């Protein structure tokens, strides 16, 4: 910006610095004048005069006035800290009179106790060593006793021989900055408190969900004469309720019923369907223990309960009956499936095959669903394995885009065929852990086996386990 006034355009041969018109270009009497153009020219002229007046006033502003009325505080001190000069701005901030300060007070007299301590231990030594120091946060005390946060910069002025003569100091008002920092600190504390509260709420929610999840599963599996049982429940997320379920219970003195299934959906609504499903199957089995009849009763209850609301709820389920034969040591299994993955039969000879249950529809979708029963016999060393699809639909591979699948499960089960149910479930639990974040869905496992004449020496875990991640 030019300090002497407004700049002219070199391309204009005869500029008029006041109006911006060419004096040589006369007006055409015949053409007349344009009132709008004249008005615009007048406005430009007025604006130009205002700018010139403001610039002239700026040039007339004295150095003394700039010093006294600066937007920051200035003071000069002798080397012992005695104040030799101070501007009006700083005096007004502190509420002090010039006569009471100049030659009578030292810089440290303007500071709070904490400010004095920091000045003596840090500020002054650094200033003596470096000759200058900048942006130091201190607190000054006002006449009414209030504290005023400031940022202080000082430089030592030296004489021709290099001897220090005085200290020049600039003081910036940091009250707005302090208020901002305090507000930022309050916000940070509030955010931290909110985070801690959220974590505590989440922990309480997880605890409540875990308790509710446990209430949907049997605490232990009852002993079944001539058989061994093991179960495991793997929760994919502690923040949501799963819909998988299983149970084993006696029908009479000789027979036992079992079921395992998976309710569509997650959360409280799925938990409600799970509870209804478990109690319905138990009640249906006491009325008619045939697997097809039990699933048909459950299908009718679910369809009537939820289809009328326009929000159908359904599940997949396997229901079966165990009939041990003490004479032969074998157990006859009659089983029916409603849209559930087929059970695996692990034989004592080291083979594993799926038990086909074709034609089973999802339970609760249609008013008259059709279910088909299948029968198998478990000999000593054989185990019937039931599972939910969280296992076979686990994502594997580096990209987590490949499902584990039925055949991989069959091959894994064959490696553990002939072992006791507890050992089989333990091996599958380790497999679930290996899936890591590739396991998106809850998984329920239920193994029912006939002890071999030469028991597996592998130590047994708890025969009924329920686990969460």
């Amino acid at each position: 910006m030019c300090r002497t006034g407004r700049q002219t355009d070199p391309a204009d041969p005869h500029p008029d610095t006041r109006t911006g018109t060419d004096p040589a270009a006369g007006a055409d009497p015949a053409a007349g004048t344009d009132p709008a153009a004249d008005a615009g020219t007048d406005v430009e002229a007025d604006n130009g005069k205002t700018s010139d007046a403001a610039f002239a006033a700026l040039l007339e502003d004295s150095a003394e006035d700039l010093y006294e009325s600066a937007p920051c505080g200035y003071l000069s001190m002798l080397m012992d800290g005695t104040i030799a000069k101070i501007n009006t701005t700083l005096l007004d901030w502190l509420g002090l009179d010039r006569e009471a300060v100049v030659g009578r007070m030292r810089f440290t007299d303007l500071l709070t106790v904490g400010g004095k301590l920091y000045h003596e231990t840090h500020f002054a030594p650094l200033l003596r060593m470096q000759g200058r120091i900048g942006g130091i946060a201190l607190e000054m005390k006002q006449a009414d006793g209030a504290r005023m946060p400031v940022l202080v910069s000082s430089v030592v002025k030296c004489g021709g021989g290099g001897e220090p003569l005085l200290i020049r100091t600039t003081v910036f008002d940091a009250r707005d900055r302090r208020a901002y920092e305090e507000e930022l600190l309050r916000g940070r504390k509030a955010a931290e408190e909110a985070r801690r509260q959220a974590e505590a709420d989440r922990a309480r929610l997880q605890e409540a969900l875990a308790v509710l999840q446990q209430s949907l599963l049997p605490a232990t599996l009852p002993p079944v004469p001539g058989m061994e049982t093991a179960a495991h429940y793997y929760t994919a997320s502690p923040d949501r309720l799963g819909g998988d379920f299983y149970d084993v219970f006696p029908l009479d003195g000789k027979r036992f019923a079992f079921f395992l299934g998976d309710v569509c959906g997650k959360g409280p609504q799925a938990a409600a369907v799970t509870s209804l499903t478990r109690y319905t199957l138990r009640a249906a089995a006491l009325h008619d223990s045939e697997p097809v009849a039990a699933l048909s009763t459950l299908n009718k209850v679910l369809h009537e309960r939820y289809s009328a609301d326009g929000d159908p709820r359904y599940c997949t389920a396997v229901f079966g009956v165990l009939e041990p034969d003490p004479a032969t040591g074998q157990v006859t299994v009659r089983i029916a499936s409603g849209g559930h993955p087929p059970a695996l039969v692990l034989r004592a000879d080291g083979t594993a095959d799926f038990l086909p249950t074709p034609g089973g529809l999802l339970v609760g979708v249609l008013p008259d669903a059709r279910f088909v029963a299948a029968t198998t016999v478990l000999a000593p060393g054989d185990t019937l394995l039931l599972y939910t699809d969280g296992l076979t639909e686990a994502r594997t591979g580096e990209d987590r885009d490949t499902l584990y699948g039925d055949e991989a499960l069959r091959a894994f089960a064959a490696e553990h065929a002939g072992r006791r149910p507890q050992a089989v479930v333990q091996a599958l639990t380790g497999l679930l852990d290996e899936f890591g974040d590739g396991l998106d869905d809850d998984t329920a496992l239920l193994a029912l086996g006939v002890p071999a004449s030469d028991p597996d020496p592998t130590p047994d875990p708890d025969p009924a386990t329920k686990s969460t991640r």
Side-chain angles (χ1 to χ4, degrees):
M1 173 178 172
C2 179
R3 293 179 54 84
T4 58
R6 299 168 58 198
Q7 290 182 308
T8 61
D9 184 358
D12 187 353
H14 302 290
D16 187 326
T17 58
R18 292 187 304 105
T19 64
T21 60
D22 186 356
D28 185 353
T33 60
D34 185 351
D38 291 343
T41 302
D42 291 342
V43 171
E44 291 178 359
D46 290 343
N47 290 338
K49 291 178 181 179
T50 301
S51 299
D52 290 343
F55 190 77
L58 179 63
L59 293 179
E60 293 175 0
D61 200 5
S62 66
E64 183 66 22
D65 187 54
L66 287 173
Y67 176 84
E68 293 294 339
S69 304
C72 59
Y74 289 122
L75 68 161
S76 300
M77 303 169 287
L78 303 180
M79 294 308 298
D80 65 355
T82 301
I83 298 173
K85 190 175 183 181
I86 184 170
N87 72 342
T88 303
T89 299
L90 185 54
L91 289 170
D92 291 344
W93 285 352
L94 301 179
L96 299 174
D97 294 328
R98 194 182 305 273
E99 293 76 12
V101 176
V102 176
R104 296 176 178 272
M105 299 179 68
R106 296 188 177 187
F107 177 65
T108 53
D109 295 330
L110 304 179
L111 302 178
T112 61
V113 174
K116 290 180 181 179
L117 181 62
Y118 188 85
H119 181 274
E120 295 301 326
T121 57
H122 293 78
F123 190 96
L126 286 174
L127 182 61
R128 285 194 298 268
M129 291 172 56
Q130 301 174 171
R132 65 176 60 245
I133 189 170
I136 302 300
L138 294 173
E139 281 191 334
M140 307 186 83
K141 59 182 179 180
Q142 297 173 302
D144 59 1
R147 298 168 178 262
M148 178 180 176
V150 294
L151 293 176
V152 179
S153 297
S154 294
V155 62
V156 177
K157 180 182 180 181
C158 298
E163 70 281 7
L165 299 179
L166 56 86
I167 301 171
R168 288 174 174 168
T169 296
T170 303
V171 180
F172 291 93
D173 185 354
R175 284 174 290 190
D176 289 342
R177 174 177 173 174
R178 174 68 61 82
Y180 169 75
E181 291 174 346
E182 290 176 350
E183 182 63 27
L184 188 63
L185 183 59
R186 283 194 295 270
R188 185 176 301 170
K189 288 182 178 178
E192 180 64 20
E193 179 61 28
R195 183 188 65 81
R196 286 196 295 266
Q197 184 63 44
E199 289 180 350
D201 292 343
R202 183 168 182 256
R204 286 193 293 268
L205 176 61
Q206 289 179 350
E207 182 180 0
L209 291 177
V211 172
L212 181 56
Q213 188 77 69
Q214 297 290 340
S215 70
L216 300 176
L217 300 170
T220 59
L221 298 180
V224 180
M227 296 194 72
E228 293 179 346
T229 61
H232 179 76
Y233 193 98
Y234 193 98
T235 300
S237 172
D239 296 321
R240 63 183 186 182
L241 280 172
D244 295 10
F245 57 90
Y246 63 84
D247 203 353
V248 178
F249 56 96
L251 292 174
D252 48 42
K254 297 181 179 181
R255 299 180 306 155
F256 282 75
F258 65 89
F259 58 77
L260 179 141
D262 184 2
V263 168
C264 174
K266 302 293 180 186
Q269 291 181 325
V273 179
T274 299
S275 179
L276 176 61
T277 297
R278 291 184 68 245
Y279 290 114
T280 299
L281 285 176
R282 273 180 164 263
L286 296 178
H287 175 70
D288 187 343
S289 61
E290 286 300 316
V292 171
L295 290 183
S296 297
T297 299
L298 176 62
N299 182 81
K300 182 178 181 181
V301 170
L302 291 182
H303 188 269
E304 291 181 353
R305 170 64 179 83
Y306 292 102
S307 61
D309 298 335
D311 184 22
R313 295 282 168 172
Y314 56 89
C315 70
T316 66
V318 173
F319 185 93
V321 175
L322 305 171
E323 297 184 12
D325 185 350
T328 62
Q330 297 180 336
V331 177
T332 301
V333 181
R334 289 181 290 111
I335 189 172
S337 173
H340 199 81
L344 266 168
V345 181
L346 285 62
R347 299 297 182 182
D349 61 4
T351 61
D353 292 295
F354 292 105
L355 178 61
T357 49
L361 298 175
L362 292 173
V363 183
V365 174
L366 299 176
D368 297 311
R370 180 174 177 270
F371 306 106
V372 178
T375 301
T376 189
V377 176
L378 300 180
D382 294 345
T383 295
L384 180 70
L385 174 65
L386 300 107
Y387 55 92
T388 54
D389 59 8
L391 173 57
T392 53
E393 293 181 359
R395 293 175 289 107
T396 61
E398 294 183 359
D399 298 331
R400 299 295 190 188
D401 56 359
T402 302
L403 298 183
Y404 185 64
D406 296 336
E407 287 306 313
L409 174 60
R410 189 195 63 77
F412 182 88
E415 296 176 1
H416 301 276
R419 302 181 67 184
R420 301 171 68 176
Q422 295 89 340
V424 173
V425 169
Q426 188 177 39
L428 288 169
T429 301
L431 177 64
L432 293 173
D433 290 333
E434 292 177 4
F435 290 143
D437 59 2
L439 193 62
D440 296 327
D441 198 4
D442 291 5
T443 301
L445 303 172
L446 178 62
L448 310 167
V450 180
S453 54
D454 183 14
D456 183 356
T458 304
D460 293 339
D462 186 351
T465 59
K466 288 176 283 185
S467 171
T468 58
R469 289 183 66 188

